[in-house]
Amino acid sequence: MAGCHSPQTIAAVPKKADTADKHTRINPQLGRPDPKPVEISDYVFLNRNANHIELNGADWSGLIHKFENIGNHGGKNVSIVHIGDSHIQADGNTGRVRSYLQKVYGNAGRGLMAPLRIAGTNQPLDYTLSTSGGASTSTLLKQPWKVNMGFTGVAVKPAAQHATFSLSDKSPFNILRIYANGPVSVSKVTSGGEEIQHHSTSTEWGAQVNLAHRVESVNITISGRNLIVYGFDARDTETPGVLYHAIGNNGATFSTYSKIGSEGEGIALLDPDLVILSLGSNEAFGNISDAEFYRLIDNLVKEIREHNPKAEILLTTPSECQRSVYTTSRVRSKKKKRPRRVTSRSYQINTNVERLRNVILKYGKENNIPTYDFYSVAGGKGASAKWLQKGLLSTDRIHRTWNGYYLEGNLIYNALSHLLTGTNEEPVAAVTEAATAENVAAKQATPAASKKKAATSKKKYNNKKYGKKKKYPRKKNKRKKRR
């Protein structure tokens, strides 16, 4: 069967077969980034002729004009909000697009930073965010939610009345927004151990803090009535440019964002000029019908449009992936009379991806919403095996590797650039610079204990693989032979 691979050993099979790969989809294992630049031209199986945005009758001349006038007379920043699942949460692809756009149009700041690690899940590598003291947390997929959910898909309720959050980012900022469930009071802001002069304004959605000068890290002490924090937003008013906000949650679907009930209202705080929706991968592991999937797309799109009438919307399609297949057989041993049951795991193409991709394209065409068909760009049917062979698809056959996400980011940027400027050149310098920064961040994010544990595990593995086996003397048969 095309796209299938030989079964793994019995040790790799979970006690209870996860036929929907739910655990894998919610808990991606991405490892460390590779600093090596990724070039589109290195992968001949990509369908570069499909690497464009299909407008479907929509008029993006206003959006193009906004990009052209960044920093000019009266021209403001361009704000992009990219919403998705685990492919977006890691920020490998969106981080690459952000790096490219900000290199060309200006860096207006990191933008949205969700407290993902505080909530116990993976977080982008280019920022750190922590809090002192305990906190109750909620993530989008773990329902019912312990605390009320916000538009970022993660919520943190500090245990202390006055909570201090520590935040650092490689891009300097002089404005910090706090998104919460109500007005937030700011009592202290420090950076590098010194207190920073600031002016804070409480709002119905949290607070905005104007700093006296640009910084790359802060400790900020805040309070509020039954405070629940949804995220922070770092901006730089000294440099006009692009803000590229990413909202990603492992296992997310169109319906899980709609269940929040305030997704459209929440992202309106980011003042988006363009909203990109990259969903559909997780729905492909269920039994959803075409009609139901179409309806769920429509629900979220309408909610976003209701609260963001001036924003353009772009739908992207998921690329081909694979799913686990479990096979149980009876194996008879020479020493045992009764056969034992053995479960093996193999993989096959998830054909639902192509079906739901067609629904996304149909919805875009019928509702005049632009689409980006990444399914076709990645290589279409059979592409997952090629991505896996080239080290672009993870061994779980669902998520991409860091290089895979970087390649996707390159392709998305090229498609946007072609629409905005008519060119599709790839800024190689930005690739190397971004990859190096991400690799440094990954090393810094690795705790010393984890490094020690990894080294110990490697030593044990080497000893087990290459160590000499102990020789034991054979026991002599003491029974006397019968005469």
Side-chain angles (χ1 to χ4, degrees):
M1 181 181 295
C4 286
H5 299 271
S6 57
Q8 294 182 349
T9 61
I10 183 65
V13 180
K15 292 182 179 180
K16 185 177 180 182
D18 183 11
T19 55
D21 293 302
K22 184 177 181 180
H23 178 79
T24 303
R25 290 184 287 115
I26 296 177
N27 302 280
Q29 302 297 322
L30 301 177
R32 286 187 179 182
D34 187 346
K36 182 176 63 177
V38 179
E39 304 288 350
I40 293 174
S41 57
D42 290 341
Y43 305 98
V44 295
F45 54 81
L46 296 174
N47 184 359
R48 298 176 69 175
N49 292 330
N51 195 38
H52 62 270
I53 295 171
E54 191 67 49
L55 288 176
N56 292 324
D59 181 9
W60 273 23
S61 60
L63 179 63
I64 295 172
H65 182 72
K66 290 177 181 178
F67 271 96
E68 292 173 345
N69 284 275
I70 291 176
N72 292 339
H73 308 287
K76 66 182 187 70
N77 296 332
V78 171
S79 175
I80 299 173
V81 178
H82 199 146
I83 301 173
D85 44 36
S86 57
H87 298 307
I88 304 302
Q89 179 170 327
D91 197 49
N93 44 17
T94 48
R96 185 53 55 89
V97 182
R98 181 186 303 112
S99 175
Y100 285 166
L101 289 174
Q102 291 184 341
K103 193 172 186 68
V104 175
Y105 295 99
N107 184 352
R110 173 55 172 80
L112 186 64
M113 292 178 279
L116 294 160
R117 187 160 293 170
I118 296 174
T121 184
N122 61 294
Q123 185 172 282
L125 302 176
D126 63 336
Y127 70 84
T128 62
L129 183 56
S130 60
T131 183
S132 59
S136 298
T137 63
S138 290
T139 53
L140 188 61
L141 266 288
K142 292 184 180 180
Q143 300 178 18
W145 298 317
K146 294 180 183 179
V147 295
N148 293 337
M149 184 53 63
F151 72 98
T152 61
V154 61
V156 173
K157 184 176 183 179
Q161 184 178 359
H162 291 81
T164 299
F165 286 85
S166 299
L167 181 152
S168 66
D169 172 37
K170 66 179 183 180
S171 297
F173 57 91
N174 57 11
I175 284 184
L176 186 64
R177 286 184 162 196
I178 306 164
Y179 299 121
N181 61 329
V184 171
S185 298
V186 179
S187 56
K188 189 176 182 180
V189 181
T190 63
S191 180
E194 297 182 0
E195 192 162 351
I196 303 175
Q197 292 185 355
H198 66 277
H199 174 73
S200 62
T201 305
S202 296
T203 67
E204 59 181 7
W205 45 261
Q208 176 166 312
V209 185
N210 292 52
L211 305 175
H213 58 85
R214 301 161 81 201
V215 296
E216 293 183 0
S217 64
V218 293
N219 292 331
I220 183 167
T221 303
I222 61 176
S223 61
R225 185 177 180 182
N226 297 318
L227 177 65
I228 301 174
V229 177
Y230 302 132
F232 295 82
D233 182 353
R235 306 186 179 193
D236 181 9
T237 58
E238 293 185 17
T239 308
V242 173
L243 287 164
Y244 198 104
H245 310 281
I247 300 174
N249 291 275
N250 297 338
T253 62
F254 281 97
S255 63
T256 51
Y257 280 110
S258 294
K259 284 180 182 177
I260 295 175
S262 59
E263 188 64 18
E265 184 180 359
I267 66 173
L269 299 173
L270 305 175
D271 192 23
D273 297 294
L274 172 63
V275 178
I276 305 174
L277 298 176
S278 295
L279 295 162
S281 293
N282 290 295
E283 287 92 336
F285 284 84
N287 298 313
I288 191 170
S289 67
D290 291 3
E292 177 66 6
F293 187 56
Y294 190 101
R295 185 185 68 82
L296 294 175
I297 297 172
D298 191 52
N299 287 347
L300 185 58
V301 168
K302 284 182 176 177
E303 181 187 349
I304 291 172
R305 274 187 161 168
E306 179 184 354
H307 297 279
N308 304 271
K310 295 182 179 180
E312 301 294 346
I313 296 177
L314 172 65
L315 297 172
T316 75
T317 62
S319 62
E320 182 187 86
C321 66
Q322 300 178 18
R323 66 188 308 163
S324 299
V325 178
Y326 295 92
T327 306
T328 302
S329 58
R330 292 179 178 273
V331 179
R332 188 179 295 277
S333 174
K334 292 182 179 179
K335 296 182 180 181
K336 296 182 180 180
K337 293 182 179 180
R338 297 181 62 183
R340 59 190 179 93
R341 294 167 63 90
V342 175
T343 302
S344 60
R345 182 195 220 169
S346 60
Y347 298 89
Q348 68 180 23
I349 291 173
N350 187 345
T351 55
N352 284 336
V353 174
E354 183 181 15
R355 179 172 63 84
L356 298 185
R357 164 256 191 179
N358 293 335
V359 177
I360 293 173
L361 296 180
K362 178 183 177 183
Y363 181 86
K365 190 173 183 180
E366 293 180 351
N367 293 273
N368 302 116
I369 296 178
T371 53
Y372 175 67
D373 188 11
F374 185 61
Y375 179 90
S376 292
V377 176
K381 188 177 293 185
S384 58
K386 297 170 185 175
W387 280 61
L388 184 65
Q389 183 184 17
K390 292 295 185 180
L392 301 171
L393 187 66
S394 171
T395 53
D396 65 19
R397 270 79 164 178
I398 297 173
H399 301 98
R400 291 176 272 289
T401 61
W402 285 107
N403 276 354
Y405 285 122
Y406 296 157
L407 179 61
E408 181 186 6
N410 293 0
L411 291 162
I412 293 173
Y413 169 77
N414 278 13
L416 279 170
S417 177
H418 181 69
L419 188 65
L420 295 173
T421 66
T423 63
N424 57 358
E425 294 181 2
E426 183 178 8
V428 178
V431 179
T432 308
E433 181 183 336
T436 303
E438 287 156 354
N439 192 48
V440 170
K443 289 181 180 179
Q444 292 175 346
T446 305
S450 299
K451 291 180 180 178
K452 185 177 180 180
K453 185 177 179 181
T456 305
S457 300
K458 186 176 181 181
K459 185 177 180 181
K460 287 181 178 179
Y461 172 78
N462 289 334
N463 289 339
K464 184 178 179 182
K465 186 174 182 180
Y466 302 109
K468 295 181 179 179
K469 294 182 179 179
K470 292 183 178 180
K471 295 182 178 180
Y472 297 94
R474 295 181 65 182
K475 293 182 179 180
K476 296 181 179 180
N477 192 351
K478 294 181 179 181
R479 290 191 301 172
K480 294 181 179 180
K481 295 182 179 179
R482 295 183 180 181
R483 299 197 178 191

